[in-house]
Amino acid sequence: MNDDLLSRHRSVLPDWLALYYDEPLEITHGEGRHVWDSRGNRYLDFFGGILTTMTAHALPEVTKAVTEQAGRILHSSTLYLNRPMVDLAERIATLSGIPDARVFFTTSGTEANDTALLLATTYRRSNTVLAMRNSYHGRSFSSVGITGNRGWSPTSLSPLQTLYVHGGVRTRGPFAGLDDYDFVAACVDDLKDLLGHTRPPAALIAEPIQGVGGFTSPPDGLYAAFREVLHERGVLWIADEVQTGWGRTGEHFWGWQAHGRSGPPDMLTFAKGIGNGMSIGGVVARAEIMNCLDANSISTFGGTQITMAAGLANLNYLLEHDLQGNARRVGGLLIERLRAAAAQVPAVREVRGRGLMIGIELSTPGTDEADPAAASAVLEAARRGGLLIGKGGGHDTSALRVAPPLSLNVAEAEEGAAILEDALRSIQ
């Protein structure tokens, strides 16, 4: 049956629509932190549909909210007042930390970043955008144009002039050998130098932890230092929180808070986990920025009632059960367990991350040369052991991405770490 579905997939869907595994699997249902495939195999899910099933599979509170809302009305568009949308917007505006915040809902992180770029370029009357090397911001024409990861950038054509800044990757590049203080200083000097050679840009967009890039991040405080330089010149800061938001990093509710000494960003974008599988994205911005458009606009599917009901129920569960604290506690145990296991595997170059957002980078032993074949082999071995993880990285997809639902418990963390340890050892 799976072979037939794969054949049908290949005959009707694009060749560039990537599938994991030599024998792709069909996930049919899930519960908690586990999923099952069409052959009845059970897996511990440490990727959550690309960090999207953030809380748990088949979470009763979310399922109930969706079912009840479906019995009333699914959708009406933004042309009509929408109570669930206003309710969720109020909660997110308060949680964002952005003063006088306004919220616009979209259907994805790509669309959220598109909207943020539209707002920034309109507000600043500039189509120049600063982005980070190794970054990823979505699949649309404009978001591909600011993506600094060759593997996810199919065209160089863009409506924007994009300039790429150092700093998103701590352990590679020209400043990798510096200590944290000097690394930040060198990146700030590079930013100042870049700004001296170009017309004033609209904004810097940055992921606090780079997701598709392999869960890389700069030292805490880099974006605060950038913000001070940018603020002097009126340049906006957009924090792309599509993967880092909602407490996943454990230490903070938003990734930008690790860089928060200069205050919140001018805009933040969100998506993925807030819907726990439902299609929700959005932008939070100061009112003067959000309201700068001088033409009408709507969103047909952004903020639709059923997705907002899911988002509200999911956010309530997340806050009431302190899943940020759980990410900090269980994620801390998991990353230490993985570091101990990786210390015995020469192919592991680095284990990095925070909370339940952990990257394991593989390289040819004794070198810094990326080893995507090893990453693929570990991905396959983990699946055979009953564990689903992801891949990423800016150097030929050589990093494993570990991002379980935030309700992960200690026993499941230990089980997943043991499977992953065996998978890592299998490539030696």
Side-chain angles (χ1 to χ4, degrees):
M1 181 179 294
N2 233 35
D3 291 342
D4 177 60
L5 184 60
L6 177 59
S7 175
R8 290 167 58 199
H9 174 104
R10 287 175 171 162
S11 69
V12 75
L13 296 173
D15 290 346
W16 42 259
L17 197 62
L19 287 168
Y20 272 173
Y21 307 115
D22 293 336
E23 297 181 10
L25 61 85
E26 176 193 5
I27 294 175
T28 59
H29 62 287
E31 182 178 345
R33 276 70 56 193
H34 291 86
V35 294
W36 284 258
D37 69 16
S38 56
R39 293 191 171 99
N41 298 307
R42 175 177 179 259
Y43 303 93
L44 189 56
D45 185 5
F46 272 24
F47 203 40
I50 319 178
L51 290 81
T52 300
T53 306
M54 176 178 69
T55 309
H57 291 281
L59 186 70
E61 289 81 354
V62 172
T63 302
K64 180 172 184 272
V66 168
T67 302
E68 290 179 350
Q69 184 61 54
R72 293 191 291 270
I73 187 169
L74 297 176
H75 165 78
S76 66
S77 89
T78 55
L79 289 172
Y80 305 93
L81 287 172
N82 178 333
R83 190 175 300 275
M85 181 168 68
V86 173
D87 288 342
L88 185 55
E90 288 174 340
R91 299 289 301 280
I92 292 173
T94 299
L95 289 166
S96 74
I98 294 175
D100 195 21
R102 299 293 187 273
V103 182
F104 177 75
F105 288 105
T106 67
T107 60
S108 68
T110 290
E111 192 187 347
N113 285 331
D114 246 3
T115 303
L117 293 169
L118 171 65
L119 292 169
T121 53
T122 302
Y123 183 78
R124 289 277 294 157
R125 302 186 65 80
S126 168
N127 76 331
T128 301
V129 174
L130 305 176
M132 304 304 295
R133 300 180 185 193
N134 195 52
S135 60
Y136 176 82
H137 297 287
R139 182 193 45 76
S140 67
F141 189 45
S142 66
S143 59
V144 163
I146 58 165
T147 286
N149 185 314
R150 172 64 186 87
W152 293 90
S153 184
T155 178
S156 61
L157 301 175
S158 174
L160 303 167
Q161 180 186 40
T162 306
L163 304 173
Y164 292 102
V165 181
H166 283 296
V169 183
R170 177 65 185 89
T171 60
R172 287 188 182 274
F175 307 142
L178 303 176
D179 63 27
D180 284 354
Y181 178 86
D182 288 337
F183 180 93
V184 170
C187 291
V188 170
D189 287 343
D190 175 70
L191 173 63
K192 290 178 178 177
D193 182 68
L194 180 63
L195 291 171
H197 294 284
T198 184
R199 296 185 65 82
L204 166 73
I205 184 167
E207 306 156 273
I209 297 176
Q210 295 181 327
V212 170
F215 294 168
T216 64
S217 62
D220 288 356
L222 174 71
Y223 293 120
F226 277 5
R227 174 72 187 283
E228 292 172 3
V229 174
L230 298 173
H231 186 69
E232 291 174 357
R233 296 159 174 81
V235 181
L236 304 178
W237 172 29
I238 304 168
D240 179 341
E241 298 276 358
V242 169
Q243 297 195 33
T244 47
W246 318 109
R248 176 165 289 280
T249 68
E251 295 174 22
H252 305 99
F253 194 76
W254 303 106
W256 70 259
Q257 289 169 322
H259 307 270
R261 73 167 186 259
S262 60
D266 299 291
M267 284 188 270
L268 69 81
T269 59
F270 62 85
K272 291 193 180 288
I274 183 59
N276 201 46
M278 297 295 279
S279 186
I280 305 176
V283 183
V284 189
R286 298 198 320 268
E288 63 178 312
I289 299 172
M290 185 68 81
N291 294 334
C292 74
L293 304 183
D294 63 359
N296 293 326
S297 192
I298 62 167
S299 182
T300 303
F301 289 108
T304 195
Q305 283 91 337
I306 195 164
T307 61
M308 297 294 96
L312 276 165
N314 192 43
L315 182 58
N316 286 338
Y317 186 92
L318 175 106
L319 296 173
E320 290 168 4
H321 292 80
D322 187 24
L323 294 193
Q324 177 185 338
N326 190 67
R328 182 178 64 253
R329 293 184 295 272
V330 179
L333 293 171
L334 180 58
I335 196 169
E336 289 308 314
R337 177 76 165 76
L338 292 175
R339 281 177 173 154
Q344 309 303 314
V345 180
V348 176
R349 181 177 182 271
E350 183 183 19
V351 178
R352 55 184 176 247
R354 61 204 324 167
L356 288 172
M357 193 171 186
I358 302 167
I360 304 171
E361 185 177 341
L362 302 177
S363 64
T364 303
T367 76
D368 280 342
E369 183 180 345
D371 194 342
S376 295
V378 175
L379 194 82
E380 295 281 356
R383 176 199 172 173
R384 290 193 297 271
L387 178 71
L388 304 184
I389 56 175
K391 289 192 300 181
H395 293 80
D396 301 317
T397 318
S398 62
L400 306 170
R401 299 166 70 196
V402 177
L406 302 190
S407 57
L408 185 76
N409 62 43
V410 171
E412 292 163 339
E414 286 287 350
E415 178 188 356
I419 296 171
L420 193 45
E421 179 176 5
D422 289 341
L424 288 167
R425 290 181 182 277
S426 73
I427 65 171
Q428 296 191 86

